[in-house]
């Protein structure tokens, strides 16, 4: 009992303080009175009962496997079923799966009297309550809530980044709500893996912050026009994120046009260079507006 009590306060929320006190007493006074107190609480020493240390709340990352434990003592020849609360679907009875979805499977670990429901490749819609039911008369139930967290990935800043040729660029790829740290994070430049052959030209840093955040930083020193293009941050276990980098040489808007070639053609592109000085040090959308305005003005003046 002592061992159970230690875990109880953190794992089991159904205990009211007096119940805990009762159990505390039972560890102090061994003997018939204490045994009686415990017996009255579980009331089931003659048959199956749930181990009160069984967790009631499981949190899993999308796409990983979830394990929902159900600890039943003195099970005897009774059956253990897992039922999904959402639609009352019986998922498993003992070792048999009763749903046409082979992601669900139950197995017994005899050494701990635990019937565990395994949910493979957890999906967002798997979130919710699950009932572990023992075939006593009347039936006994233990409920577990499955929480599914979905990691988020983004490259900080605008999706189009404008920098002056020769400057240093940092692309920060931030992954949050990821309980499982990605095994690796690769960067791609227009589809080619970015490797740091020369630490003075390119550096890649990886940081784990807190329990659920991973940051990969790609640093490009002394940018040149060849550094323009699509940069993709691609973790081992998640979707990727991309940005378009535009390295501006202050003369030709070539880099900018290459990045924007899906946009509708705009007359007066050649006048854009007037705006480029501004573009290098202002937010992109504003810079584009300014550049276009200047282009139009100079077009009008030229007439
Ligand atoms: C269950 O765990 C999740 C995530 O850790 C937490 O947000 C939630 O509050 C917990 N729920 C209960 C009832 O403890
Ligand atoms: C379970 O065991 C009890 C006695 O231990 C017996 O009376 C009962 O018939 C058994 N039930 C099943 C379903 O085997
Ligand atoms: C960048 O490349 C990735 C991977 O090839 C692609 O999914 C994404 O759409 C591209 N982004 C842009 C803005 O072109």
């Amino acid at each position: 009992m002592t061992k159970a009590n230690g875990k109880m306060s953190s794992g089991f929320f159904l205990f009211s303080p007096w119940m805990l006190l009762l159990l505390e007493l039972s560890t102090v006074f061994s003997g018939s009175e204490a045994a009686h107190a415990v017996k009255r609480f579980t009331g089931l020493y003659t048959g199956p009962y749930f181990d009160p240390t069984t967790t009631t709340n499981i949190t899993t990352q999308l796409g990983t496997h979830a394990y929902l434990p159900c600890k039943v003592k003195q099970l005897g020849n009774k059956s253990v079923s897992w039922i999904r609360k959402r639609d009352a679907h019986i998922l498993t009875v003992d070792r048999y799966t009763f749903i046409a979805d082979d992601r669900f499977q139950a197995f017994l670990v005899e050494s701990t009297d635990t019937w565990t429901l395994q949910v493979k490749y957890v999906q967002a819609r798997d979130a919710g309550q699950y009932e572990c039911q023992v075939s006593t008369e009347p039936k006994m139930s233990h409920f577990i809530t499955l929480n599914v967290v979905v990691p988020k990935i983004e490259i900080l800043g605008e999706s189009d980044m404008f920098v002056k040729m020769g400057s240093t660029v940092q692309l920060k790829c931030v992954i949050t709500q990821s309980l499982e740290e990605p095994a690796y994070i690769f960067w791609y430049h227009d589809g080619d893996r970015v490797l740091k052959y020369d630490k003075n030209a390119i550096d890649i840093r990886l940081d784990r912050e807190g329990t659920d955040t991973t940051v990969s930083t790609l640093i490009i020193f002394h940018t040149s026009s060849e550094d323009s293009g699509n940069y993709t941050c691609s973790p081992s276990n998640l979707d990727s994120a991309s940005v378009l980098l535009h390295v501006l040489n202050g003369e030709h808007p070539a880099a900018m046009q290459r990045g924007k070639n899906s946009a509708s053609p705009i007359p007066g592109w050649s006048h854009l260079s007037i705006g480029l000085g501004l573009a290098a040090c202002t937010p992109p959308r504003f810079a584009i507006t300014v550049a276009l305005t200047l282009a139009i003005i100079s077009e009008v003046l030229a007439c």
Side-chain angles (χ1 to χ4, degrees):
M1 279 317 291
T2 316
K3 197 174 164 210
N5 274 346
K7 285 189 199 162
M8 217 164 272
S9 47
S10 60
F12 195 65
F13 69 93
L14 286 177
F15 279 83
S16 60
W18 69 267
M19 281 173 172
L20 276 175
L21 184 67
L22 214 60
L23 284 160
E24 222 67 70
L25 285 175
S26 75
T27 62
V28 177
F29 306 105
S30 55
S32 61
E33 201 182 327
H36 184 62
V38 172
K39 190 170 174 179
R40 199 165 10 148
F41 171 68
T42 62
L44 291 161
Y45 270 98
T46 55
Y49 66 98
F50 292 114
D51 184 324
T53 63
T54 303
T55 183
T56 56
N57 195 10
I58 295 279
T59 302
T60 311
Q61 180 169 323
L62 185 79
T64 63
H65 300 346
Y67 298 90
L68 280 55
C70 184
K71 270 192 184 187
V72 192
K73 302 286 189 189
Q74 298 180 183
L75 184 60
N77 57 6
K78 302 296 182 207
S79 290
V80 172
S81 310
W82 278 99
I83 298 155
R84 183 167 62 196
K85 192 98 180 294
R86 163 160 63 86
D87 54 2
H89 203 303
I90 296 173
L91 304 173
T92 61
V93 176
D94 296 334
R95 282 175 220 284
Y96 302 99
T97 298
F98 279 79
I99 184 170
D101 182 343
D102 59 8
R103 295 182 307 122
F104 294 94
Q105 198 185 346
F107 57 88
L108 171 68
V109 175
E110 266 174 72
S111 58
T112 58
D113 299 318
T114 305
W115 273 99
T116 296
L117 176 69
Q118 180 188 43
V119 187
K120 287 187 190 166
Y121 310 107
V122 167
Q123 302 169 2
R125 64 188 172 88
D126 293 329
Q129 273 204 320
Y130 291 81
E131 176 182 356
C132 168
Q133 193 183 79
V134 179
S135 66
T136 46
E137 205 50 62
K139 296 194 187 319
M140 296 163 44
S141 294
H142 176 77
F143 291 91
I144 296 191
T145 304
L146 174 63
N147 306 285
V148 179
V149 294
V150 183
K152 294 185 169 47
I153 178 169
E154 65 164 340
I155 296 176
L156 300 185
E158 301 278 337
S159 57
D160 282 84
M161 297 180 83
F162 297 84
V163 296
K164 252 186 184 160
M165 184 183 284
S167 59
T168 296
V169 179
Q170 282 201 27
L171 301 179
K172 257 187 197 293
C173 178
V174 179
I175 299 162
T176 50
Q177 297 190 41
S178 82
L179 304 175
E180 308 232 327
E181 192 171 357
Y184 56 82
I185 301 176
F186 288 160
W187 282 92
Y188 294 91
H189 175 211
D190 290 337
D192 295 329
R193 170 104 184 268
V194 178
L195 299 164
K196 50 175 187 183
Y197 288 124
D198 179 2
K199 245 193 132 174
N200 295 318
I202 277 179
D203 198 9
I204 299 172
R205 291 173 194 165
L206 189 65
D207 297 296
R208 182 80 175 167
E209 294 172 2
T211 53
D212 69 351
T213 302
T214 305
V215 181
S216 176
T217 309
L218 171 66
I219 305 163
I220 308 167
F221 301 97
H222 315 294
T223 47
S224 66
S225 55
E226 295 92 73
D227 294 322
S228 291
N230 179 342
Y231 284 85
T232 300
C233 162
S234 182
S236 57
N237 56 347
L238 289 180
D239 290 343
S240 55
S242 299
V243 287
L244 285 178
L245 181 68
H246 308 275
V247 179
L248 308 172
N249 65 12
E251 291 288 336
H252 308 292
M256 207 160 166
Q257 270 179 319
R258 204 188 306 150
K260 282 274 157 203
N261 58 10
S262 59
S264 54
I266 299 161
W269 255 137
S270 60
H271 297 285
L272 264 181
S273 55
I274 303 165
L276 290 183
L278 263 170
C281 55
T282 47
R285 270 179 210 140
F286 175 67
I288 290 168
T289 313
V290 169
L292 287 179
T293 310
L294 288 174
I296 290 162
I297 289 170
S298 53
E299 199 81 62
V300 169
L301 287 180
C303 294

